[in-house]
């Protein structure tokens, strides 16, 4: 078992926000705290793409690196979690995180009044007894301990968001990429922003011209 | 040159050398070496311990693998 | 390491940031509204319950009430109630509390997937902003009353009105969110009350579809299914924003796209669906007929039509061809809808060269004054290409609410009894028989036989039923004096400014709903009394069946007991039936059960069995409760592409026994996944077009061509529908049992209570009971036999109004005078003052009128303000910027104060507003008018406050998609 990862397939994401509400649902996340959000680029024009973002459970987590109280830890499966009892709500992890994953229930406020940092836990609960009321109150559901995967990915409307063991996730995505017809060149400027599709279309046009 | 002037030059060079030597001893390093802090919170049980899987890691991994099939519709659609 | 800085890293980061900023769209996206952190309402209440606020050890005291881990976990399987895709969900319940929601990967329809609404279902178990108990408007404020008082007062008031003015003075607005059994009982309820003045959301949703499509080939429903779209090679979406209205359908659609299918999206807006399309075509709202016939022009020009198919199975295509080639040449098409010839040709070629190709349409096509013509144009396109009756083809009509299909099929329709039997004497006799009551007694409930057989007023016009001159209303009762809003929102109907006037004039207004709904607020804004609110349950607090858009019927288990003092709708119906004095007749063949509070509840299973006994026309007869429950338990055995069970207890059946599932449950018909499919045997879900319009017209036979019949049919040519005469003629009469013969004598397949005619025709001889005929491209009983383009009533193009004027006025249309030409003439030049086209549509986070979903904090947080999408050019001309408040004003003089979202999604000249909001009235928050503690978290202007007059020429559908407005800075 490798590390746990998220992957959001931007070709399939339709910005339905199912992942967002699934997370709210499962963990009773209060208003103002958004563990997961959908980000859209080029809204309203051709080339519009959406992607669902939460904590990416980085291998070299910046939040963990900068925390002054060292309240972060990384599980054997690569999930980045933290202890709210040690958190002082300083917000340094929020500055460090490139994805904006750390959330503070009292919003933008002075040092000391923001509340305890809250973020996506990969549905793995936190450092309280597994399945206890205390764990649920502080961190939300521990689905991993039940042999389940994060609800956001399990409920994604188009199965754009995939979560689980990195190898499994990569295999699922690879199958789609192969079907889409863009092979190894899926990454890079050739394929980005509809380039892959334009290439396909040019190929088909040439085929049509060749036939006529 | 008078002995007095020679003496002061020698004294100056000696003092300079001594100073140089001394500065090597009291130099403070300019570059911070970063050390990852140790986690200071509560211990957390691993997912396969307790409750459903009672420590059986292989069973837990198998359950997760089976569960992940739900995220790939190609499993059901040929 | 993080703290080690290198010069190259810094500069490259800076470069990347710059590049990214240039790449990012200039206009702000909807999510940007989220940056304004929430309205305190939800945050305050919830945050104090959770220990996030303090520094120090996070105190994890368990909340008062149930621990999530205590008690045995029970799983109840239910279906989402927010749209017609029908996503199954498992509810985990402990000690009667809904604690978790799990995905149902086994479901062949959604495979575990949900959109924002489906993923937030569990909030129904919280119900913070629900209507908790019966309430009465007293001196302008809502006060709590008991159920007993509510039932008595409302009952007495309605009975008094009935005595004074007749039963037709009361309007019962029913619901597409009732399950099948409740919807069916409501039709019975209003029939025993004695009126046809009833309706539900289908009127303002797909009523034009049902009428247009049924008149083309037999049944007016989605012909294939969401799953079947995986077999399509090309898909044309016209007037459908499936990515927001039916998100999980995109699972199947994008899977198909991934495997080579082409997507074409036609819409005035660049929607999220368009973002996934290969071709996006922008058309002017309301010009679907020129577009579709423009496609047909190229198809006919290039000989791409399926000539054999047309010969065998279509009537009148030659006339269409003539009209299209003469009238809809590329220049005329471009003039009308704005699409240039190359785009049209490419789209036509894509659909023709990638068959089977399918078409999808929704409100963009239906909500127009010529909606019936537009949907028929879509049908004709598919008939020309030979796509109907083919897997991967079809006319995939995505319906709206979760049970709008079921409510249309068996529920409260003003023009028909359950099952599309209509209101003829024979139909009434049939249903009186099924209901176990005397036909004469039912007739006696109505003022006269004439009124009993006359279609009622539609929900889209109830306000005119109140406000119109009573001499012009085609019923002796004259004006409506009371309206019962039973599971329906008010802000989904047009002309909201006039609606409050109607509310003022009413004697009594009753709302039966899980939420007070905007009706309560609008009424309290203009009245002091005479309004009652009765709390109904959601579908998670009761059980029953619901029909998804693909005609599959799914069974919902009860998740939790009714919250607060709410009651299931059918229990409320029975309580009123008792009050009105016909309780016994109401549940003649239906058992009563006592609920937890000792109220009588009609048995849902028995009600479905009654539906099974009566609804032969559309094959709601084979779906017994047992068969449906078995399907829900064995979902994993169904193949996702074909919906057929492979092995297991449901082997050979199609998921949800999609109607028509002909014959008695004992006959075990497997359901029909794709309609009109001649490649299959009728006992395997196959079929052909319906013989419903006679056997010949103008010397041409209407029956199907020789050799064209469903697989294995004993009659391999066209044949009329089956009745006792035909059976005897064919010599098959003696195959009936004696009991069947006795029942079927003198009857046809729709009125034979034994199902014997169906059994013999289908099982023994592989023939379709409704005959085998041609589809009609020319529908001679419609205002325009060949679909014509007519400009909307409020058109932005006076020059085209002259060229394509609308219909003549109708004086007695669904009991009301309805204006077309005179209205269009009157407002012909109004586009000088109101130059922008105003259109409306859906958002993924909300459903329908929105009071239910906007009361769910998880959803409400995502879309906190009402807004209007305005093109940068129009915004700059009017002088406002993104995020500012603007006034959107329509020719009704109503003004809406909304946020401006300046975006290129809409073209210059079009303004888009979502229709889910309510709770503001022309700039003012209506919070004070709601009952205390029961207002939605998010409130905003209702676009329909400002929409205008305009109705479909066949079904009275409202013209919501095209009207005019002007914008200005607030």
């Amino acid at each position: 078992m490798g590390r746990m990862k998220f992957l959001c397939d931007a070709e399939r994401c339709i910005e339905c926000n199912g992942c967002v509400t699934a997370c709210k649902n499962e963990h009773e996340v209060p208003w103002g705290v958004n563990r997961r959000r959908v980000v859209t680029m080029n809204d309203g024009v051709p080339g519009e793409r959406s992607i669902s973002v939460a904590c990416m459970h980085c291998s070299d987590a910046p939040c963990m690196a900068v925390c002054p109280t060292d309240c972060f830890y990384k599980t054997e499966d690569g999930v980045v979690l933290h202890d709210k009892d040690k958190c002082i709500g300083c917000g340094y992890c929020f500055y460090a995180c490139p994805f904006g994953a750390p959330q503070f229930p009292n919003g933008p406020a002075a040092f000391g009044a923001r509340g305890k940092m809250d973020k996506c836990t990969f549905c793995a609960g936190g450092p309280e007894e597994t399945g206890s009321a205390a764990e649920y109150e502080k961190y939300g559901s521990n689905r991993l301990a039940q042999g389940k995967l994060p609800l956001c990915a399990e409920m994604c409307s188009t199965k754009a968001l995939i979560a689980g063991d990195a190898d499994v996730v990569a295999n699922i995505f690879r199958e789609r990429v192969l079907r889409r017809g863009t092979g190894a060149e899926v990454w890079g400027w050739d394929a980005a922003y509809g380039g892959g599709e334009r290439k396909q279309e040019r190929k088909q046009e040439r085929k049509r011209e060749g036939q006529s | 040159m008078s002995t007095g002037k020679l003496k002061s030059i020698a004294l100056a060079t000696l003092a300079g050398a001594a100073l140089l030597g001394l500065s090597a001893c009291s130099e403070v390093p300019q570059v911070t070496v970063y050390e990852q802090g140790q986690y200071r919170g509560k211990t957390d049980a691993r997912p396969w311990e307790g409750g459903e899987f009672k420590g059986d890691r292989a069973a837990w991994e198998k359950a997760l693998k089976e569960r992940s099939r739900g995220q790939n519709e190609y499993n059901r659609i040929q | 390491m993080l703290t080690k800085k290198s010069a190259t890293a810094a500069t490259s980061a800076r470069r990347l940031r710059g590049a990214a900023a240039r790449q990012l769209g200039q206009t702000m996206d909807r999510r940007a509204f989220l940056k304004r952190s929430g309205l305190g309402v939800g945050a305050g209440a919830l945050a104090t319950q959770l220990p996030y606020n303090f520094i120090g050890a996070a105190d994890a005291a368990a909340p008062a009430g149930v621990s999530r881990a205590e008690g045995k976990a029970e799983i109840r399987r239910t279906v989402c109630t927010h749209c017609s895709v029908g996503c199954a969900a498992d509810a985990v319940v402990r000690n009667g509390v809904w604690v978790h929601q799990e995905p149902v990967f086994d479901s062949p329809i959604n495979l575990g997937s949900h959109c924002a609404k489906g993923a937030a279902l569990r909030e129904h178990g919280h119900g913070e902003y629900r209507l908790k108990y019966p309430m009465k408007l007293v001196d302008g404020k809502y006060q709590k009353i008991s159920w007993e008082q509510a039932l008595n007062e409302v009952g007495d008031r309605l009975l008094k009105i009935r005595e004074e003015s007749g039963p037709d003075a009361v309007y019962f607005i029913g619901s597409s969110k009732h399950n099948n059994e409740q919807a069916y009982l409501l039709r019975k309820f209003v029939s025993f009350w004695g009126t046809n003045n009833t309706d539900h959301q289908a009127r303002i949703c797909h009523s034009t579809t049902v009428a247009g499509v049924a008149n083309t080939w037999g049944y007016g429903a989605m012909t294939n299914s969401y799953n079947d779209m995986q077999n399509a090679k090309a898909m044309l979406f016209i007037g459908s924003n499936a990515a927001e209205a039916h998100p999980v359908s995109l699972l199947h659609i994008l899977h198909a796209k991934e495997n080579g299918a082409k997507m074409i999206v036609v819409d005035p807006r660049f929607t999220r669906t368009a973002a996934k399309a290969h071709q996006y075509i922008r058309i002017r709202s309301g010009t679907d007929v020129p577009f579709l016939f423009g496609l047909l022009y190229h198809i006919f020009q290039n000989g791409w039509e399926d000539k054999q198919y047309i010969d065998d199975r279509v009537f009148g295509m030659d006339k269409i061809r003539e009209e299209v080639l003469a009238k809809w040449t590329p220049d005329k098409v471009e003039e009308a809808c704005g699409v240039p010839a190359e785009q049209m040709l490419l789209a036509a070629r894509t659909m023709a060269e990638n068959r089977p190709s399918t078409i999808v349409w929704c409100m963009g096509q239906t909500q127009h004054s010529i909606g019936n013509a537009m949907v028929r144009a879509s049908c004709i396109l598919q008939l020309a290409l030979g796509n109907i009756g083919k897997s991967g083809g079809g006319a995939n009509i995505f319906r709206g609410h979760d049970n709008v299909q079921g409510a249309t099929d068996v529920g409260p329709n003003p023009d028909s009894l359950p099952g599309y039997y209509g209101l003829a004497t024979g139909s009434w006799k049939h249903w009186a028989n099924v209901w176990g009551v005397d036909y004469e007694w039912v007739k006696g409930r109505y003022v006269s036989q004439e009124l009993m057989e006359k279609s009622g007023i539609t929900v889209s016009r109830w306000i005119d039923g109140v406000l119109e001159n009573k001499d012009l209303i085609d019923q002796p009762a004259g004006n409506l004096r009371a309206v019962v809003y039973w599971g329906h929102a008010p802000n989904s109907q047009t002309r909201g400014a006039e609606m409050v006037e109607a509310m003022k004039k009413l004697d009594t207004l009753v709302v039966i709903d899980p939420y007070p709904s905007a009706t309560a607020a609008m009424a309290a804004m203009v009245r002091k009394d005479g309004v009652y609110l009765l709390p109904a349950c959601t579908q998670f607090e009761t059980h029953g069946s619901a029909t998804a858009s693909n005609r599959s019927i799914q069974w919902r288990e009860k998740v939790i007991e009714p919250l607060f003092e709410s009651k299931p709708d059918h229990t409320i119906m029975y309580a009123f039936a008792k009050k009105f004095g016909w309780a016994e007749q109401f549940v003649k063949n239906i058992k009563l059960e006592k609920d937890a509070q000792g109220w009588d509840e009609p048995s849902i299973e028995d009600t479905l069995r009654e539906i099974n006994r009566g609804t032969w026309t559309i094959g709601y007869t084979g779906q017994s409760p047992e068969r449906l429950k078995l399907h829900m338990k064995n979902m994993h055995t169904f193949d996702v592409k074909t919906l057929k069970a492979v092995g297991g207890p449901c082997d050979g059946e199609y998921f949800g026994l999609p109607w028509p599932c002909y014959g008695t449950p004992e006959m075990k018909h497997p359901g029909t996944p794709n309609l009109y499919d001649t490649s299959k045997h009728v006992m395997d879900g196959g079929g052909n077009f319906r013989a419903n319009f006679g056997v010949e017209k103008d010397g041409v036979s209407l029956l199907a061509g020789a050799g064209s019949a469903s697989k294995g049919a004993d009659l391999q040519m066209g044949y009329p529908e089956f009745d006792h005469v035909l059976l005897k003629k064919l010599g098959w009469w003696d195959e009936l049992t004696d009991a069947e013969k006795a029942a079927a004598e003198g009857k046809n397949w729709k009125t034979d209570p034994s199902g014997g005619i169906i059994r013999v025709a289908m099982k023994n001889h592989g023939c379709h009971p409704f005959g085998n005929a041609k589809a009609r491209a020319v529908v001679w009983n419609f205002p325009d036999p060949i679909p014509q383009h007519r400009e909307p009533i409020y058109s932005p193009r006076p020059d085209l109004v002259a060229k394509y004027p609308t219909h003549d006025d109708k004086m007695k249309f669904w009991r009301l005078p309805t204006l077309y030409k005179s209205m269009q003439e009157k407002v012909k030049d109004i586009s000088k003052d109101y130059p922008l086209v105003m259109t409306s549509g859906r958002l993924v986070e909300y459903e329908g009128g929105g009071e239910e979903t906007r009361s769910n904090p998880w959803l409400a947080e995502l879309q906190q303000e009402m807004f209007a999408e305005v093109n940068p050019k129009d915004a700059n001309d009017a002088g406002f910027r993104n995020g500012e408040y603007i006034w959107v004003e329509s020719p009704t003089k109503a003004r809406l104060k909304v946020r401006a979202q300046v975006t290129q999604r809409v073209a210059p000249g079009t303004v888009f507003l979502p229709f889910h909001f309510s709770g503001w009235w022309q700039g003012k928050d209506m919070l004070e008018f709601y009952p205390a503690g029961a207002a939605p978290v998010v409130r905003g202007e209702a676009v329909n406050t400002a929409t205008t007059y305009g109705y479909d020429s066949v079904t009275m559908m409202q013209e919501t998609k095209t009207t005019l407005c002007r914008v200005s800075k607030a």
Side-chain angles (χ1 to χ4, degrees), chain C residues 39-62:
Chain C
L39 312 161
V41 184
L46 292 166
T48 48
Q49 291 172 2
L50 291 157
Y52 289 106
N53 342 31
F54 298 99
I55 296 163
D59 190 341

Side-chain angles (χ1 to χ4, degrees), chain B residues 40-52:
Chain B
R40 289 192 229 153
K42 295 187 189 147
T43 49
D44 187 15
R46 291 177 292 183
W48 55 88
E49 292 168 356
E52 304 213 11

